[in-house]
Amino acid sequence: MASQVATPTSLQTTATSSSASLSSPSSPAQLSPDDVELLAKLEEQNRLLETDSKSLRSMNGSRRNSGSSLVSSSSASSNLSHLEEDSWILWGRIVNEWEEVRKKKEKQLKDLVRKGVPHHFRAIVWQLLCNAQNMSIKDQYSELLKMTSPCEKLIRRDIARTYPEHEFFKEKDSLGQEVLFNVMKAYSLVDREVGYCQGSAFIVGLLLMQMPEEEAFCVFVKLMQDYRLRELFKPSMAELGLCMYQFECMIQEQLPELHMHFQAQSFHTSMYASSWFLTIFLTSFPLPVATRIFDIFMCEGLEIVFRVGLAILQMNQTELIQLDMEGMLQHFQKVIPHQLDSGPDKVIQAAYQVKYNAKKMKKLEKEYTTIKTKEMEEQVEIKRLRTENRLLKQRIDTLEKESASLADRLIQGQVTRAQEAEENYLVKRELATVKQQSEEASAQLEQAQKTIRQLQQPQPPPQQQPHAKGAPRYSEESVLQLERELVQARLKEAESQCALKEMQDKILDMEKRNTSLPDDTNVARLQEELIGVKLREAEALTGLKELRQQVRDLEEHWQRHLARTAGRWKDSPRKNTLSELQDELMSVRLREAEAQAELRETRQRMLEMETQNQIHSNQLRRAEQESRCLQECVQTLTAQNKDLHVQLQEIKRRQAEIECKSKEEVMAVRLREADNIAAMAELQQQISELEIQKEEGKVQGQLNHTDSSQYIRDLKDQIVDLKHEVSLDSLLKRTEGSVQSAHF
């Protein structure tokens, strides 16, 4: 159930003393109505605080266990100066007349907030600044606490790490930790998108130091909705990236030397400034300083974070330029918080000397949005290209498999054709052999039949045969021998016929297989060329036969001419003249025949040249086709090579980015490890101090037996808690180490 007790130990006492100091100068009758209303509000606050005895016991125990409180002390508030009393009266009037002051005197209100809101007015002023009064969600708070949140384990784990040194939160399962858990759980149920984020517990803890948990819950909801904190704490943390970009641009513009040094050392803005924006300096600065900055944040928003952050860098620029990355981290963690121990006035005054242009921040926001949009588009395009690349690779693999399969089939077909050609040749040879054997068998059969016919002719009379007694015996033996030869010949003929039939069947089978095979274009073209060559060869042979016939005719004419002219010198001169004319005619015919032979030979050569030219043309055409195919393949491979080169460059660039990010993550892990080591050292030192105090308490006997035992038990409990924290830090260190090794 919700309670009204989530406030630090000093709130009730200081509020009571403030009302006493306001009433001491004069009686209530002498005060103005505004002052009376202010006193009534303060008394109402005191009454609310007194209603919860648990809160009072926690505050009393805190005063027993610790000599001082981080917020304030009641003894100091009892001796307030007149200046503080005037400030309280002024703030009381502002609270009473809030709407009018907010509308008409906004500048004066900002100046007062920058000077600091009095501690006892922070609860109500913060609620007024963020308009968190009378929120309807306040009535749902008690119902939310009855529900179960999926983030409860995470919240429980981080509760002990929130303000571990503060009196209100350091005790395990104390009231402070319980109300902090309640508020974080309730918000995780209200805003399930954000749920729980680790840095938000520090803001809620600060609110609980000032006001009850229901009011702290309402203020936290307002901060998340209206002060950009919800965008900062979303899982994507897009708003944090925007703040880092804007802050880095401000550093580049106003502190260029420091920005160049950060770039040279690879010291990114998020390594030191992300906690500033996520916790509003609550984890980086002393609590009083961070509380003053939070006053201004409630009034002006995140602008004060930019201003204070840049002011801190300006104040430490000289020292930071001389340090490396690790030195700068140590400077931010150790040196800068001690610089602010004197108070927040100096850094706040420097913050308002920083140049801050709201229009330029809007412009930077648009630039960052454009950059992120382009990055998202590039990521979408990269995903699309990767998907297409994967599909293309799958298609290439499929095509390569199909190509390999086709190549195997082509080679297998060529091998099959070669084997079939060889088998065909062997079958033809066997067929020729069988035919020859068949012809021989047929000849032997005819010879045998002829012999049988001769033997079957009628024998001559006995008186015409001188050796009649032995002849029939010889004839019978011859007939038997011939019959045996006839049977063998017929058997051989039958075998030859069977073998011939088998060979014919094989030839028919091979012809069918050849016709069933697919025709190749090149084979068809070569067959056409072969047919053309055979036709030209036939023409050439025909022409050669004609020439030979003409030569034979001329030779016959020449022989007849010689026969006629054998006795030409004995004839008359007239006959000699005729013979000479005939000789000339024969010579002319011979020359004509020689010319025709030369012409036919020339034509034959021309045909051969044309045939060679056609063959070469076909070869050139096939070579050109192959060249074009090769060029297309080369172009395709070149395009693929270019695409793969571009993809390789992109992959290398992404790999470099991934390596850079991994280095950053490793450095962040190392930094967290260094922080854990330092925290462990501090905790071990505290353990040693507590043990020394324990021994001193035993030796000196400053306390009585009962108090000493109680004191020793408290010290032992603190030692156990600190050792538990040390073990948790060690476990966290090992976990981060394992995450780092798994990452690599």
Side-chain angles (χ1 to χ4, degrees), residues 461-581:
Q463 62 271 13
Q464 293 181 359
Q465 296 180 356
H467 303 287
K469 193 171 184 178
R473 181 173 175 270
Y474 177 76
S475 300
E476 290 177 0
E477 291 178 356
S478 299
V479 169
L480 292 173
Q481 182 67 27
L482 290 174
E483 286 180 353
R484 284 194 295 269
E485 291 179 357
L486 179 61
V487 171
Q488 291 178 358
R490 287 181 177 176
L491 289 173
K492 288 183 179 180
E493 184 180 6
E495 291 176 356
S496 300
Q497 291 294 332
C498 292
L500 180 62
K501 190 174 181 180
E502 289 179 358
M503 294 302 167
Q504 288 176 352
D505 292 338
K506 285 185 179 180
I507 290 171
L508 291 174
D509 189 16
M510 292 182 67
E511 287 178 353
K512 288 181 180 179
R513 289 167 63 185
N514 286 332
T515 55
S516 64
L517 291 174
D519 295 332
D520 195 354
T521 307
N522 293 329
V523 175
R525 191 180 295 122
L526 290 174
Q527 288 177 353
E528 292 176 359
E529 293 177 2
L530 181 60
I531 292 169
V533 170
K534 287 183 177 180
L535 290 174
R536 287 190 288 272
E537 184 179 0
E539 292 176 358
L541 290 173
T542 304
L544 184 60
K545 289 180 180 180
E546 291 176 357
L547 285 174
R548 286 176 180 174
Q549 185 65 34
Q550 289 179 2
V551 169
R552 283 196 296 269
D553 293 341
L554 287 172
E555 285 179 353
E556 290 176 358
H557 284 296
W558 179 251
Q559 293 296 331
R560 287 195 299 269
H561 174 69
L562 289 177
R564 285 194 304 269
T565 59
R568 62 183 178 177
W569 299 107
K570 300 177 181 180
D571 295 338
S572 61
R574 184 177 177 181
K575 288 184 177 179
N576 291 335
T577 304
L578 182 61
S579 299
E580 290 177 357
L581 289 173

Side-chain angles (χ1 to χ4, degrees), residues 693-709 711-712:
Q693 291 178 7
K694 175 182 174 182
E695 294 298 329
E696 289 179 354
K698 287 181 178 180
V699 173
Q700 294 177 3
Q702 293 177 352
L703 303 171
N704 56 26
H705 180 70
T706 304
D707 294 338
S708 176
S709 300
Y711 181 70
I712 290 170

Side-chain angles (χ1 to χ4, degrees), residues 27-251:
S27 63
Q30 296 173 347
L31 291 175
S32 63
D34 294 338
D35 296 336
V36 173
E37 187 173 356
L38 174 60
L39 288 174
K41 282 185 175 291
L42 291 174
E43 289 174 358
E44 178 65 20
Q45 290 287 333
N46 292 334
R47 186 186 63 77
L48 290 174
L49 291 172
E50 290 171 357
T51 55
D52 197 323
S53 60
K54 261 173 120 182
S55 176
L56 292 177
R57 285 198 300 271
S58 173
M59 289 185 285
N60 292 331
S62 298
R63 283 196 293 271
R64 284 199 309 269
N65 295 332
S66 176
S68 61
S69 176
L70 194 55
V71 183
S72 64
S73 175
S74 61
S75 61
S77 62
S78 62
N79 297 319
L80 290 174
S81 62
H82 293 288
L83 181 61
E84 291 174 338
E85 293 178 1
D86 294 340
S87 176
W88 284 18
I89 294 171
L90 176 60
W91 275 103
R93 291 176 179 173
I94 290 172
V95 168
N96 291 329
E97 302 172 359
W98 179 257
E99 295 298 331
E100 183 179 356
V101 172
R102 188 71 180 267
K103 292 178 181 178
K104 297 182 180 180
K105 299 180 181 180
E106 186 176 1
K107 188 175 182 303
Q108 291 85 344
L109 179 61
K110 284 186 177 181
D111 292 338
L112 284 173
V113 172
R114 290 173 185 175
K115 293 177 182 178
V117 179
H119 171 69
H120 306 90
F121 285 93
R122 277 201 176 105
I124 189 169
V125 170
W126 285 1
Q127 294 178 56
L128 292 171
L129 285 171
C130 66
N131 296 322
Q133 312 97 318
N134 302 323
M135 289 181 65
S136 59
I137 200 170
K138 186 175 181 180
D139 299 331
Q140 304 173 12
Y141 182 74
S142 59
E143 297 297 327
L144 291 172
L145 295 183
K146 298 177 183 178
M147 300 168 65
T148 302
S149 171
C151 305
E152 289 185 10
K153 290 184 179 180
L154 294 175
I155 298 171
R156 287 289 185 193
R157 184 193 64 188
D158 292 336
I159 286 295
R161 303 177 187 176
T162 306
Y163 300 112
E165 298 180 359
H166 196 277
E167 293 292 334
F168 192 49
F169 299 103
K170 71 179 184 180
E171 295 291 338
K172 185 178 181 181
D173 297 329
S174 63
L175 179 64
Q177 291 189 3
E178 190 63 28
V179 294
L180 179 59
F181 173 79
N182 290 341
V183 176
M184 299 308 303
K185 171 187 171 181
Y187 185 79
S188 68
L189 292 169
V190 170
D191 190 352
R192 294 184 180 271
E193 181 182 1
V194 175
Y196 167 72
C197 188
Q198 192 172 5
S200 59
F202 288 93
I203 296 175
V204 175
L206 180 65
L207 296 176
L208 290 170
M209 294 179 195
Q210 314 297 330
M211 61 189 74
E213 58 180 294
E214 292 94 338
E215 297 175 3
F217 172 69
C218 295
V219 173
F220 184 64
V221 171
K222 272 292 183 180
L223 291 178
M224 295 291 282
Q225 293 176 353
D226 300 340
Y227 285 74
R228 296 170 60 183
L229 292 185
R230 185 176 185 275
E231 302 298 324
L232 284 173
F233 288 123
K234 275 186 177 180
S236 62
M237 289 191 172
E239 192 73 13
L240 181 62
L242 171 61
C243 293
M244 294 297 101
Y245 179 75
Q246 293 172 330
F247 191 63
E248 187 172 358
C249 291
M250 291 179 68
I251 298 172

Side-chain angles (χ1 to χ4, degrees), residues 289-325:
V289 179
T291 306
R292 280 285 303 277
I293 295 173
F294 203 85
D295 288 339
I296 305 173
F297 168 74
M298 295 292 294
C299 183
E300 302 180 16
L302 283 176
E303 176 183 342
I304 188 61
V305 182
F306 288 99
R307 288 183 176 276
V308 172
L310 206 60
I312 291 294
L313 294 179
Q314 286 178 348
M315 294 165 61
N316 294 271
Q317 180 177 5
T318 306
E319 293 82 358
L320 290 172
I321 289 177
Q322 299 174 359
L323 299 173
D324 58 0
M325 180 187 289

Side-chain angles (χ1 to χ4, degrees), residues 589-602:
R589 286 181 177 177
L590 288 172
R591 286 194 295 271
E592 182 181 359
E594 290 177 355
Q596 287 180 356
E598 290 179 357
L599 180 61
R600 292 293 179 87
E601 187 178 358
T602 303

